[in-house]
Amino acid sequence: MSDNQVFLNGEYLPIDEARVSVLDRGFIFGDGVYEVIPAYGNRPFRLEEHFRRLNNSLSAVRIDNPYSETQWAAIFDRLLAQHHGDQSIYLHITRGVAPRDHGFPADTPPTVFVMCSPIAPTNPDYLSKGFAAITLDDIRWQYCRIKSIALLPNILLRQEALDNNATEAILIRSGYVTEGSASNMFIVKDGVIKTPPHSDQLLPGITRDLIVELAQQQDMACEEATISEQELLDADEIWLSSSTKEILPITRLNDKPVGNGKPGAVWKTMYQHYQVYKQQLREQAEGQH
Ligand code: PDD
């Protein structure tokens, strides 16, 4: 691990030597935003979409993007070249280092940190059996569209799920599903896929958007519509999606089986489409080397 190079404020250095000030506003206030970008065949996945979301998060919190897309891509390429296989890029920008004061500091450069790590292969049990989730009240703020580094509510929710022998918490706000503690949510009922529409109450997941796109391409019935808690409880299938977990089936909810308690047929079909899409990207990337 120690020879794994990371990028910090213009320098490439071993992760053990990367240091930020205790006055960094990321450390003091959680004042920053982040992205997680998977890379297959050393090629970042859906980079344009991740850049768009990064720019939306940055402008929402009023931090200027410190680099052009070409500069970001050069940083990613250099870090990705250290490993082969599937990796995830973690990118983190804070409002920089300044004396502790809630108001924005003047003329302070942001802190920029990027690291890459291998994506662990999916636990085969998750694919063959699915896993458990519980519903919890969505205790987060009103700007969940922003990919904020301040994740304390998400962490508390995830831990509550783990403490209840579940892998993910499905969050409910005013009787409707928003998302998971670190994932987006899908249900299937009578063959129709459903996921909540983009709103301030959930992160516009890049994986989520791709699943909706794949469903359209493959003529699978898919709606972007609100999901009530009752619809969730009555669903034939429940899936989560995220960049590092892809699409996984939730087969137990609040200690009861979802549908027949096994990964569903619609999930299997979508999972296959997703794998084909990824493999095509890997092959394109290899063709260019
Ligand atoms: N989290 N919703 C939340 C709250 C998330 O944290 C994530 C991803 C998603 C899925 O978005 P995407 O498909 O773009 O990964 C939805 C990342 C992986 C994380 O925090 O590690």
Side-chain angles (χ1 to χ4, degrees):
M1 191 65 182
S2 61
D3 60 351
N4 193 17
Q5 299 263 311
V6 299
F7 175 92
L8 181 64
N9 297 329
E11 279 186 273
Y12 293 89
L13 67 181
I15 194 162
D16 293 347
E17 290 172 24
R19 298 272 180 279
V20 286
S21 164
V22 290
L23 286 180
D24 192 281
R25 289 177 65 99
F27 181 66
I28 294 281
F29 291 124
D31 182 3
V33 300
Y34 76 109
E35 272 297 320
V36 176
I37 310 170
Y40 304 113
N42 287 10
R43 176 193 270 202
F45 188 65
R46 301 229 125 190
L47 193 50
E48 244 176 71
E49 287 82 353
H50 280 282
F51 280 144
R52 196 173 313 131
R53 187 172 67 186
L54 175 66
N55 283 325
N56 288 341
S57 295
L58 284 170
S59 64
V61 302
R62 296 158 61 190
I63 296 176
D64 290 335
N65 191 333
Y67 297 125
S68 68
E69 291 186 5
T70 317
Q71 287 171 315
W72 281 118
I75 296 167
F76 301 159
D77 283 349
R78 179 152 167 189
L79 295 178
L80 287 169
Q82 300 178 93
H83 305 280
H84 293 291
D86 299 348
Q87 300 183 59
S88 77
I89 302 166
Y90 177 82
L91 177 176
H92 176 119
I93 303 171
T94 79
R95 204 179 305 278
V97 178
R100 185 178 182 280
D101 186 88
H102 287 61
F104 295 173
D107 304 323
T108 301
T111 298
V112 182
F113 172 61
V114 189
M115 65 178 170
C116 287
S117 32
I119 298 181
T122 308
N123 180 341
D125 273 0
Y126 286 169
L127 300 179
S128 60
K129 297 186 192 144
F131 56 80
I134 57 169
T135 49
L136 290 176
D137 250 6
D138 193 344
I139 54 169
R140 302 171 305 157
W141 68 334
Q142 302 289 338
Y143 297 121
C144 296
R145 185 194 287 275
I146 301 171
K147 205 159 168 59
S148 162
I149 60 169
L151 288 172
L152 190 54
N154 304 60
I155 287 166
L156 291 175
L157 291 160
R158 169 63 65 83
Q159 190 57 43
E160 195 169 336
L162 296 172
D163 292 345
N164 284 283
N165 299 319
T167 304
E168 182 56 304
I170 303 182
L171 309 182
I172 309 288
R173 195 188 287 250
S174 309
Y176 289 89
V177 175
T178 55
E179 56 182 340
S181 71
S183 58
N184 291 112
M185 284 298 149
F186 288 80
I187 63 163
V188 177
K189 185 70 186 175
D190 299 330
V192 179
I193 306 165
K194 212 167 168 188
T195 191
H198 287 183
S199 78
D200 275 335
Q201 308 197 331
L202 54 103
L203 188 78
I206 308 297
T207 321
R208 170 210 176 277
D209 291 354
L210 175 57
I211 294 169
V212 171
E213 228 177 271
L214 289 174
Q216 280 159 357
Q217 277 170 22
Q218 303 294 333
D219 274 334
M220 296 167 77
C222 180
E223 293 174 0
E224 293 178 85
T226 52
I227 299 173
S228 69
E229 186 170 7
Q230 194 57 50
E231 281 178 273
L232 178 77
L233 300 175
D234 293 341
D236 299 330
E237 300 184 22
I238 304 176
W239 319 336
L240 66 68
S241 71
S242 87
S243 292
T244 43
K245 302 263 182 320
E246 302 183 348
I247 321 166
L248 293 177
I250 292 169
T251 46
R252 287 191 75 75
L253 182 65
N254 299 340
D255 264 337
K256 296 197 184 75
V258 175
N260 66 5
K262 298 199 176 104
V266 185
W267 169 76
K268 273 185 199 141
T269 307
M270 181 55 78
Y271 182 80
Q272 284 311 323
H273 290 312
Y274 196 89
Q275 298 310 315
V276 168
Y277 185 91
K278 256 173 55 185
Q279 187 55 28
Q280 282 167 350
L281 281 196
R282 280 201 198 97
E283 283 164 13
Q284 278 169 20
E286 277 156 22
Q288 285 171 5
H289 284 307

